[in-house]
Amino acid sequence: MKAMGVFALMLIFGLFSVDLPFSSAQTIFNVLDYGAKADGKKDDSNAFSAAWKAACSAGTQNPTVVVPSSKDFLVYPLTFQGPCKSSNISFQVIGTINAPSSPSVWRGRNARRWLIFHGVTGLLITGNGTFNGHGSEWWDLSCTDHPNMAGCATVIPMALSIIRCKQSTISDIHTIDSAKFHVVVNQSSDILVKNMHITAPENSPNTDGINVELSQNVLVNNSIIATGDDCVSIGELSSNITVSYITCGPGHGVSIGSLGKFGNSVKVEDIHVKKVNFKGTTNGVRIKTWQIGLGYARNISFEHITFESVKNPIYIDQNYCDINGTRGNCESKSTGVHISEVTYDDIVGTSSSKEAINLNCSQSVACTGITLSNIKIESDKSGQQLISECTNAHGTNSGVVQPKSCLQS
């Protein structure tokens, strides 16, 4: 598929973002009509499943599942399966959908994902409601944070997954306290995620805001994300992804990767991050790959970025490895993901670390075609001078670059 421009994408997505006309011709499938108790205690999964199946099989255009306001619904792991009969289908969340809070309740169920929309075309999830992942008990069991704890959890549920969907939109939703990733776009194309408000505590492990993987033509736009991990993460076999107008922090920044963890061949290209404001994050704009990875990540741009007390504002880390369950002290490998044609332009703000620019590229496969342009990053500490550090990073500079560029020609 040829990569579409952002404006073309927005025109396409406009078809799926119209206001819902609640007229006599509109077919509404209210979960209360299918037996939901809406007390936040009794399991409403069967009611949600029945409402979805009825809407998905409806012959009318744009059938709508409604989760009404001022109500709390307890829903166990559930898949909303497509394809549906109508070319468009809406899932309107005005109330609150709650995941079961105790990990013990998940035994015998799919503990990898909470709510899945699978194989749906023309899906619109909207409504100003809330998905509450109730992840705090999971965080206390996470092997990431507690690697030496007996019985720690290696499988932890992600909140909202869009898998094998096309021409679909998630808009105006609040997701909070997911046990793991909040929103996942996987094996999907022509997806718009906009006007989201995603929150979790700063110390909550692996609670990425939005994760995009194995997907094409995705626009993440106009959202506020504050979690314990990446605000937005972009994984393998992804192309034509745009992330724009995001407020990020706290969290780990916007990351491409990590890529190539299993020694596989990586294909990531046409990734564009712009108009993002980072506040107090542990990284800014980051590309991270494992030493044993192969393939490429190319044609990437980071533009019109602002930093407020950000650690590692501009960061490439190609020396990810795993030694006895920890990362660091990596031995040199002959493999590596080739990072090329990466542009950093119009980037300003303050850094909380001494290294404002750190391009730590593979010793075996150099980063090439890197452009640093119009960059002015200062310390958030009075009088401290910042530095740039580069390893095997090649490219050019344009305009003012502060701190002084370390790129090799």
Side-chain angles (χ1 to χ4, degrees):
M1 178 186 294
K2 262 190 174 178
M4 299 182 186
V6 172
F7 292 110
L9 280 173
M10 294 180 76
L11 285 173
I12 290 173
F13 290 127
L15 296 174
F16 305 108
S17 301
V18 296
D19 291 331
L20 299 175
F22 290 98
S23 66
S24 58
Q26 179 70 40
T27 304
I28 301 298
F29 299 85
N30 191 317
V31 295
L32 294 178
D33 296 334
Y34 290 83
K37 302 303 181 185
D39 60 3
K41 298 177 182 178
K42 294 184 180 66
D43 180 7
D44 288 325
S45 305
N46 289 339
F48 273 67
S49 179
W52 173 263
K53 288 177 180 177
C56 191
S57 61
T60 56
Q61 277 300 303
N62 200 24
T64 302
V65 175
V66 174
V67 181
S69 63
S70 305
K71 302 289 185 181
D72 279 285
F73 300 88
L74 175 63
V75 178
Y76 284 70
L78 190 60
T79 296
F80 301 100
Q81 185 65 51
C84 296
K85 191 169 183 180
S86 173
S87 58
N88 300 313
I89 185 169
S90 296
F91 193 91
Q92 189 177 53
V93 181
I94 312 173
T96 298
I97 304 176
N98 298 280
S101 59
S102 173
S104 63
V105 175
W106 292 72
R107 291 190 187 121
R109 304 174 189 270
N110 179 8
R112 294 188 180 277
R113 302 181 189 273
W114 174 32
L115 301 176
I116 302 171
F117 289 85
H118 187 278
V120 186
T121 297
L123 170 67
L124 171 62
I125 303 173
T126 190
N128 296 307
T130 299
F131 292 88
N132 189 334
H134 291 283
S136 60
E137 290 190 38
W138 283 104
W139 306 330
D140 293 337
L141 294 175
S142 169
C143 290
T144 300
D145 271 15
H146 309 284
N148 299 318
M149 183 176 71
C152 68
T154 57
V155 177
I156 295 177
M158 294 172 271
L160 179 61
S161 296
I162 307 299
I163 302 175
R164 295 186 181 276
C165 291
K166 298 177 181 179
Q167 299 172 347
S168 297
T169 296
I170 310 172
S171 175
D172 300 289
I173 293 295
H174 189 186
T175 73
I176 63 175
D177 294 346
S178 177
K180 197 175 178 183
F181 300 169
H182 284 76
V183 176
V184 175
V185 178
N186 187 285
Q187 301 173 75
S188 296
S189 62
D190 302 317
I191 304 296
L192 173 62
V193 183
K194 68 173 184 175
N195 302 337
M196 301 292 287
H197 192 183
I198 300 174
T199 58
E202 186 174 1
N203 63 349
S204 56
N206 293 322
T207 52
D208 293 37
I210 299 169
N211 171 260
V212 180
E213 192 136 2
L214 304 168
S215 295
Q216 296 76 43
N217 303 329
V218 178
L219 174 59
V220 179
N221 181 253
N222 194 38
S223 296
I224 298 170
I225 305 173
T227 69
D229 211 296
D230 294 330
C231 292
V232 180
S233 56
I234 299 167
E236 303 190 0
L237 298 178
S238 294
S239 61
N240 198 32
I241 313 297
T242 297
V243 179
S244 59
Y245 295 94
I246 305 295
T247 297
C248 171
H252 294 183
V254 172
S255 294
I256 299 172
S258 60
L259 306 175
K261 181 175 182 178
F262 302 104
N264 51 302
S265 183
V266 171
K267 295 180 181 180
V268 173
E269 58 189 331
D270 300 314
I271 312 296
H272 305 291
V273 179
K274 61 184 179 180
K275 296 284 187 180
V276 179
N277 181 24
F278 296 88
K279 298 182 178 182
T281 52
T282 57
N283 300 286
V285 291
R286 176 170 61 160
I287 304 173
K288 50 182 179 175
T289 72
W290 292 75
Q291 287 182 308
I292 60 174
L294 305 169
Y296 59 80
R298 65 192 183 193
N299 193 20
I300 298 166
S301 65
F302 301 102
E303 300 176 301
H304 317 305
I305 304 294
T306 61
F307 298 124
E308 299 179 32
S309 295
V310 169
K311 185 178 180 181
N312 304 316
I314 296 175
Y315 194 18
I316 293 177
D317 182 6
Q318 287 210 268
N319 288 288
Y320 252 43
C321 66
D322 196 337
I323 300 175
N324 296 325
T326 61
R327 293 169 192 163
N329 300 318
C330 304
E331 295 180 4
S332 181
K333 299 286 185 183
S334 60
T335 52
V337 176
H338 183 204
I339 295 175
S340 66
E341 309 308 318
V342 182
T343 297
Y344 301 89
D345 181 46
D346 186 22
I347 297 178
V348 299
T350 58
S351 172
S352 61
S353 59
K354 187 175 181 180
E355 293 178 354
I357 302 173
N358 186 356
L359 307 180
N360 184 19
C361 297
S362 167
Q363 294 279 9
S364 303
V365 184
C367 298
T368 59
I370 309 297
T371 299
L372 299 177
S373 176
N374 303 311
I375 296 172
K376 186 176 182 181
I377 304 174
E378 300 175 312
S379 176
D380 65 355
K381 303 171 185 67
S382 179
Q384 184 178 76
Q385 297 299 308
L386 301 183
I387 62 172
S388 299
E389 287 206 355
C390 294
T391 300
N392 215 14
H394 300 261
T396 59
N397 308 297
S398 175
V400 174
V401 178
Q402 178 184 332
K404 185 178 178 180
S405 173
C406 53
L407 284 172
Q408 298 172 255
S409 58

